[in-house]
Amino acid sequence: MPSRLLSIPTIADALDVDRRTIYRFIAAGELPVVDLRTGTGRSRVRVPSAALEEFISSRAIAAPMRRR
């Protein structure tokens, strides 16, 4: 089964950033989208949930070692 498609506001809420930030990630090619264009009007893009998980994983960093 294909991964679930998430809206831009849903992703912005999940990452606690503004929607414009999500569009910047998309424009930079860091976050892939599926375009659900329904005619000549504006496109309706969605991000596969698997792509969001991969995006988050690629930006995760290891916590620094604690000093004693």
Side-chain angles (χ1 to χ4, degrees), residues 5-8 23 26 31-48:
L5 298 176
L6 305 172
S7 68
I8 300 303
Y23 285 113
I26 292 168
L31 202 52
V33 296
V34 174
D35 191 350
L36 303 174
R37 193 175 309 257
T38 56
T40 58
R42 294 191 323 182
S43 64
R44 297 175 57 95
V45 295
R46 298 291 186 265
V47 176

Side-chain angles (χ1 to χ4, degrees), residues 42-67:
R42 294 191 323 182
S43 64
R44 297 175 57 95
V45 295
R46 298 291 186 265
V47 176
S49 59
L52 177 60
E53 291 173 21
E54 184 178 319
F55 175 79
I56 293 170
S57 295
S58 71
R59 291 178 167 261
I61 59 171
M65 300 267 307
R66 293 179 82 189
R67 293 173 115 163

Side-chain angles (χ1 to χ4, degrees), residues 12-26:
D13 287 343
L15 298 178
D16 195 26
V17 297
D18 191 77
R19 289 185 339 206
R20 290 175 292 191
T21 302
I22 303 304
Y23 285 113
R24 283 188 210 112
F25 290 145
I26 292 168

